[in-house]
Amino acid sequence: MFPLPFQGHINPMMQLAGALHARGGLDVTVFHAAFNVPDPARRPAAYRFVPVGEGVRTEDLIPSGSDADIAGALLRINERLAGPFRDLLRRELAGAEKDEPPAACLVVDSNLRSMQLVAEELGVPTLVLRTGGAACLVAYMAFPALCDKGLLPPPTQG
């Protein structure tokens, strides 16, 4: 599992992990950013938590305030965590060859496209979890029409 490190994304991912673990008996490894870490104490002891990007600068990865650059933060998260994730996933896969069953798949947040590409590159099957609600989907579906009308992207100020 690799949730986006924001509460509205961590909670659904952990709920899915719980269902897979309880009903399917699957082992769960949770890759997570070094900030806004899911609380291991609130999860089964069998879950493994693997921090990604411990040395990565994070102050501009956490959007805050009313003018938060969420899109920019998402791009930076993808950019900065892809390399460390690649290294960790390679290590996990190498360890699995020795004494553990291979990873069944990576469940990744839909906003972590770079992590999905890393898994694909390393041959790990991937499921993408979209944590947004139906209203979010409708908004995304409107983007092409808004672009056609010249309303998106917004003009740059300068």
Side-chain angles (χ1 to χ4, degrees):
M1 306 296 228
F2 199 149
L4 186 68
F6 305 142
Q7 231 31 63
H9 297 261
I10 293 171
N11 290 339
M13 185 76 71
M14 294 298 95
Q15 290 169 349
L16 177 59
L20 293 172
H21 181 69
R23 291 185 185 90
L26 295 176
D27 292 332
V28 174
T29 299
V30 179
F31 293 97
H32 59 83
F35 63 95
N36 203 13
V37 178
D39 184 1
R42 296 180 55 201
R43 310 294 169 210
Y47 286 21
R48 289 182 51 238
F49 287 83
V50 179
V52 177
E54 287 182 294
V56 172
R57 189 172 58 94
T58 61
E59 40 295 334
D60 61 342
L61 300 182
I62 306 166
S64 63
S66 61
D67 62 343
D69 180 13
I70 295 172
L74 290 174
L75 291 171
R76 290 185 294 274
I77 288 169
N78 275 278
E79 175 186 300
R80 293 185 195 159
L81 296 186
F85 179 62
R86 180 179 291 105
D87 296 341
L88 286 167
L89 190 55
R90 273 193 183 124
R91 226 174 303 156
E92 290 290 320
L93 294 171
E97 291 173 5
K98 297 175 185 169
D99 57 0
E100 298 175 6
C105 71
L106 172 70
V107 180
V108 65
D109 189 282
S110 61
N111 290 289
L112 294 176
R113 177 72 175 137
S114 292
M115 304 333 135
Q116 182 183 358
L117 294 174
V118 165
E120 182 180 300
E121 170 190 321
L122 298 178
V124 177
T126 307
L127 296 172
V128 176
L129 178 63
R130 178 80 183 117
T131 58
C136 188
L137 177 61
V138 171
Y140 284 134
M141 291 173 59
F143 281 8
L146 294 172
C147 289
D148 290 344
K149 292 178 180 182
L151 299 170
L152 286 179
T156 56
Q157 296 179 4

